Amino acid sequence: MSDDSTLLGVVILTRHGDRQGFYQDPDSYTASGTVITPLGTVQEYQLGQKLRSLYLNASSPTDLAGMSHDVVNASQISVSADAGGEGGVIFDSAVSLMQGLFPNTTSYNTTLANGTTVVGPLGGYQYIPIESVEPDNDISLEGWTSCSAFSDWTYEFYNSSAFQQKASENADFLGQLPPYLDGRPVSLENMIFDFMNVNWIHNEEFADAVPEEYLAQARALANYHEYGVFTSPEVDGIGNIAGRTVLPIILEGFASIIDSSDPTQLVYTGVSYKPFLSLFNMTQAAEMHSNLEAIGKTMDYAASVVFEVRETSDGDHVLRFNFKNGTSEDEFTSYPILGQDGDVPLSTFIDRLAPAAINSTADWCQACGNTKDRGCAALTKAANDAIAAHSDTISPVGAGFLGAGLTIVVMLAMFGVLLFMGVLTFGRRTASRKQKETSSVDVKA
Ligand SMILES: *[C@@H]1O[C@H](CO)[C@@H](O)[C@H](O)[C@H]1NC(C)=O
Ligand SMILES: *[C@@H]1O[C@H](CO)[C@@H](O)[C@H](O)[C@H]1NC(C)=O
Ligand SMILES: *[C@@H]1O[C@H](CO)[C@@H](O)[C@H](O)[C@H]1NC(C)=O
């Protein structure tokens, strides 16, 4: 692609490194019991070094010259990592990657009043602030868990005629697997590719026993399975929930980068493979590039997408979408997206994707049909309390809301009421008790 544009900053999404001991529920995709391995930390560290050679390197054509290269300037970066079911693995991956991106340096030092200079431990190891994103209070990096609309979608997919046909075509193959898997039941729904892959990498006995073509076939089935689950025919479909909840981080990253008064130039988010699948679907990357199409779970560990935010000589903002498939590829490749030939105008990206973004917990509760988990209970209760507390002042409309109960359609309206009541409550809370009584009289009057 032509390089008459200037690089302003990068938004990076990265899959975690190699890990062991993994199980996820085939319906809800809630993960448990997993830990990063030394190999995984090496993969992420190398990816960090690669990113450094591209973006924090004065002799690279994509150098971010405005950024502090050696000692990190925390105001120039924004780093977050999923801290959910695979959280330890993803968070540790982010730590390893940051060590490669901002390695130890004796420049990380301080000179004391008595003239002594102290270098940080481990040769000037730098402690990069990483925001751990806990799924209980932030839906952005694991939008699919506790989401019944998403569970319904996976159920629908498993019951589709295409899926059933795929399952029956592969029934013989699947039937041959249990002896290699300590008798674990195998079906296309509960595709055990991950178990096989982990053992293929770490368990010599398993790697010797299982024919290589079995792993390849299981990989192909996992591809089919995961792409079907984590995508949707509509950009704003529930199957794309993993991409829709991470989009605000990406869009805010773009906004910070093009805002010349905001020093942020590098935004990094550590995730699992799921947001990649949705984003590859939503950006048409999968549709436009056959090698990205069959990505599924077979995307390598430490795979990474980098959105380069650029300014053209005409002053327009464009995006360049780069992908590297983990350690199996040495270099990032640029892939046109959204039906464009080259870089995609930022405005096109925003027009096409922003409407599908899930921007708040309330939006998420509504999209998923949840009134009890991940903050939805508090939102629902607050809406109810606000209505109950003021039902005298807002009836008969409020009474109507209460009577309608907690259906999802009404919930949306209630969030609106909550906002409205919130304004009233705020004004009163700051006022004295006497004024409060007066104001409530005023409201009644
Ligand atoms: C200066 O202070 C540091 C920290 O208290 C101490 O370790 C060091 O020995 C002092 N240096 C001198 C020359 O007194
Ligand atoms: C997204 O995935 C769905 C399957 O869930 C598929 O029907 C659709 O064509 C894909 N869209 C694009 C743009 O690749
Ligand atoms: C990524 O690499 C794996 C093997 O290392 C391969 O099976 C898969 O097809 C690759 N995916 C892409 C999108 O290149």
Side-chain angles (χ1 to χ4, degrees), residues 300-328:
D300 267 2
Y301 294 129
S304 183
V305 164
V306 177
F307 290 97
E308 290 183 355
V309 183
R310 296 173 159 269
E311 188 167 84
T312 66
S313 46
D314 299 334
D316 294 327
H317 293 125
V318 294
L319 298 173
R320 187 170 298 176
F321 179 96
N322 298 329
F323 175 69
K324 185 165 104 69
N325 188 17
T327 45
S328 63

Side-chain angles (χ1 to χ4, degrees), residues 7 12 45-64 69-70 97 99-103 266 308 324 330-332:
L7 183 65
I12 304 166
Y45 180 76
Q46 287 175 346
L47 176 59
Q49 288 182 306
K50 180 78 210 175
L51 292 167
R52 178 172 178 79
S53 75
L54 289 171
Y55 299 116
L56 298 173
N57 171 9
S59 53
S60 161
T62 51
D63 183 39
L64 287 168
H69 284 25
D70 294 325
L97 187 143
Q99 286 187 275
L101 188 61
F102 289 105
L266 186 149
E308 290 183 355
K324 185 165 104 69
D330 291 335
E331 302 296 335
F332 280 88

Side-chain angles (χ1 to χ4, degrees), residues 15-38:
R15 190 185 180 199
H16 57 76
D18 181 70
R19 46 114 170 87
Q20 280 186 289
F22 184 59
Y23 174 76
Q24 57 186 356
D25 184 283
D27 294 319
S28 67
Y29 278 83
T30 302
S32 55
T34 171
V35 63
I36 198 161
T37 64

Side-chain angles (χ1 to χ4, degrees), residues 153 227-228 230-234 240 280-284 286-287:
W153 161 257
Y227 193 77
F230 286 101
T231 60
S232 170
E234 295 86 36
N240 277 329
F280 280 32
N281 186 254
M282 297 168 80
T283 58
Q284 292 169 245
E287 183 184 61

